[in-house]
Amino acid sequence: MTDQIEWPRMTPETWEATRRQLPARSEYLGELAQETVTRVTALYEQWTRAGSVPLGVSPNRWWDARLLELDSALTPPAGQSLPIQGALRERPGDQPLPTEGQESVQDALIKLIEERRELGIQRYGTPLQTFNGRNAVRDALEEALDLATYLMQIEMEQNARQAGLREALKLHEADQGLCRTCATPSPCATRSALVAIVQPGTQAPMKTVTRFAIKGATPLRVMRADPVQEVACAPDAVADLHKHLGIDPLHQDGSPCKYMGFPITIDESVPSRTVLMRPRNA
């Protein structure tokens, strides 16, 4: 006997909500596809202007670089996703659209309001009511002053904690590719955890994009963490970056060159023979 597939059951309300979202989602997917086509077209025009493989550059390495650029062009910018409800969009300057979380903030707030209501009944014999003989403006002003005081306390305490964390980060800076405290490849686990606390949401886990096998030397590793804002290059990877990809970190006037549209920096804290595509100040 063949097992029957149990499809998830949807209520009429769920079907109706899904149907209302379809036009907005379809429109958004169209916009996303058009943006991708625009990025790929711009990349093609850039390749056309640059011409063929430069003399002295390995064709395989040159194509590896082009494939990385194409992958970046095909990848939507960080934070772009389908609208969550109706015509919700991420506008320039907004924070990224919210992802699935853990707890309902509104439910927690409702619970607190209910607890305050019960406390008021216990203390005053009745919930807060209109025309109760008190000056509501004065009550609100006094509560607002208390709130401002508590917020200032939170700000001062957070600044003190952040200063302590930044001092701890200094203990785990890189020295010739190794953490100066843990003596493990940098960034060590402690530094990664501290960065996640000091700069929450700015650093995604690093993932290896590709490795360039170089004859007689350690492979050159390219790693990426979204959102990419800069390319940091280990000092000992500069020569290979130029030799195998035809890229110089600096122009003749000393200004930074770009790799896949991102400025290149030489960072001594980057692990040996590694190129990091990463958020700025990561």
Side-chain angles (χ1 to χ4, degrees):
M1 181 177 178
T2 305
D3 293 337
Q4 293 185 348
I5 299 175
E6 266 192 40
W7 297 99
R9 297 180 179 179
M10 298 183 70
T11 63
E13 293 79 8
T14 305
W15 276 111
E16 179 61 22
T18 303
R19 186 190 65 78
R20 288 198 303 268
Q21 293 179 17
L22 283 177
R25 288 173 177 263
S26 299
E27 178 186 352
Y28 185 77
L29 284 173
E31 294 174 358
L32 199 61
Q34 183 59 48
E35 292 172 1
T36 302
V37 170
T38 301
R39 291 196 300 271
V40 172
T41 302
L43 181 60
Y44 168 76
E45 294 174 351
Q46 174 185 323
W47 288 351
T48 302
R49 290 192 300 270
S52 58
V53 182
L55 292 176
V57 175
S58 166
N60 291 337
R61 305 306 173 210
W62 188 86
W63 276 112
D64 283 340
R66 302 294 81 75
L67 290 174
L68 281 172
E69 292 176 347
L70 180 59
D71 174 71
S72 181
L74 292 173
T75 303
Q80 279 196 341
S81 58
L82 286 177
I84 296 176
Q85 293 288 340
L88 184 60
R89 294 287 190 277
E90 183 180 355
R91 298 165 297 183
D94 282 356
Q95 296 190 59
L97 295 176
T99 58
E100 184 67 25
Q102 298 179 1
E103 299 180 84
S104 170
V105 177
Q106 286 87 351
D107 290 347
L109 181 59
I110 291 171
K111 182 180 178 181
L112 283 177
I113 292 174
E114 292 174 345
E115 291 175 355
R116 293 293 299 177
R117 182 178 186 276
E118 291 302 317
L119 180 62
I121 292 175
Q122 294 175 14
R123 183 174 297 174
Y124 303 108
T126 178
L128 182 62
Q129 298 176 340
T130 58
F131 302 105
N132 58 7
R134 291 179 62 89
N135 185 335
V137 173
R138 179 177 175 182
D139 286 341
L141 178 60
E142 292 174 351
E143 295 291 344
L145 291 173
D146 287 341
L147 174 61
T149 304
Y150 297 143
L151 289 174
M152 189 63 192
Q153 176 189 354
I154 294 171
E155 175 73 10
M156 294 170 67
E157 291 175 351
Q158 286 185 341
N159 288 340
R161 292 192 186 99
Q162 291 284 317
L165 290 171
R166 285 191 289 272
E167 289 300 316
L169 273 172
K170 294 179 181 178
L171 298 177
H172 295 273
E173 291 179 343
D175 184 8
Q176 296 183 355
L178 296 178
C179 171
R180 62 175 56 177
T181 299
C182 303
T184 57
S186 182
C188 64
T190 302
R191 182 174 179 84
S192 299
L194 289 172
V195 168
I197 297 172
V198 176
Q199 301 171 332
T202 61
Q203 171 110 29
M206 279 283 178
K207 61 180 181 180
T208 300
V209 178
T210 188
R211 292 174 183 266
F212 298 118
I214 299 172
K215 185 176 180 180
T218 305
L220 183 64
R221 181 175 57 171
V222 178
M223 303 184 69
R224 171 173 175 162
D226 293 320
V228 176
Q229 296 172 323
E230 68 176 4
V231 177
C233 178
D236 61 357
V238 173
D240 289 321
L241 195 67
H242 170 65
K243 180 178 179 181
H244 296 275
L245 299 181
I247 299 170
D248 281 315
L250 299 176
H251 290 293
Q252 292 183 352
D253 62 0
S255 60
C257 290
K258 291 188 176 182
Y259 176 54
M260 297 173 64
F262 304 110
I264 301 175
T265 61
I266 301 175
D267 189 342
E268 294 184 355
S269 67
V270 174
S272 176
R273 304 193 61 73
T274 300
V275 177
L276 302 183
M277 303 172 64
R278 65 185 186 184
R280 190 166 289 114
N281 298 325

